[in-house]
Amino acid sequence: MSDSLNTDIRAVLRDHARLPVDIDSLADDADLFQAGMSSHSSVNVMLALEEGFDLEFPDQMLKRSVFESVSAISAAIGELQAQTS
């Protein structure tokens, strides 16, 4: 996926994930939950992603694995954007 998408995702994570570490210190495939993101914060991240990217995550995507890393989020957003274009 594109670097700009990952940059935008990292900005959302910086504002909403409440990570105890700098998001920029984590690799794209680093587990955000292991890095300290709570399930409550992941809901805030999901809502901010929906607003920021003007999309809606369908019920089948509302699972931990979709939000566990920048790479996973990027893949999910790419899939949703491909369906609507």
Side-chain angles (χ1 to χ4, degrees):
M1 214 23 82
S2 77
D3 286 340
S4 69
L5 178 58
N6 286 0
T7 300
D8 293 344
I9 291 167
R10 285 175 179 276
V12 169
L13 290 167
R14 190 174 297 109
D15 292 342
H16 299 278
R18 296 187 178 162
L19 291 169
V21 296
D22 181 2
I23 184 62
D24 293 327
S25 71
L26 299 174
D28 285 348
D29 61 351
D31 187 315
L32 297 170
F33 293 98
Q34 284 186 347
M37 182 170 71
S38 69
S39 54
H40 180 266
S41 292
S42 71
V43 173
N44 292 334
V45 167
M46 179 207 66
L47 294 171
L49 290 167
E50 287 185 336
E51 185 175 324
F53 290 95
D54 192 29
L55 51 79
E56 188 172 330
F57 289 98
D59 289 348
Q60 68 267 22
M61 279 191 170
L62 300 182
K63 52 191 175 192
R64 183 181 176 114
S65 61
V66 172
F67 301 97
E68 73 183 357
S69 69
V70 173
S71 296
I73 294 168
S74 181
I77 289 173
E79 186 180 320
L80 291 172
Q81 288 176 333
Q83 290 172 5
T84 59
S85 57

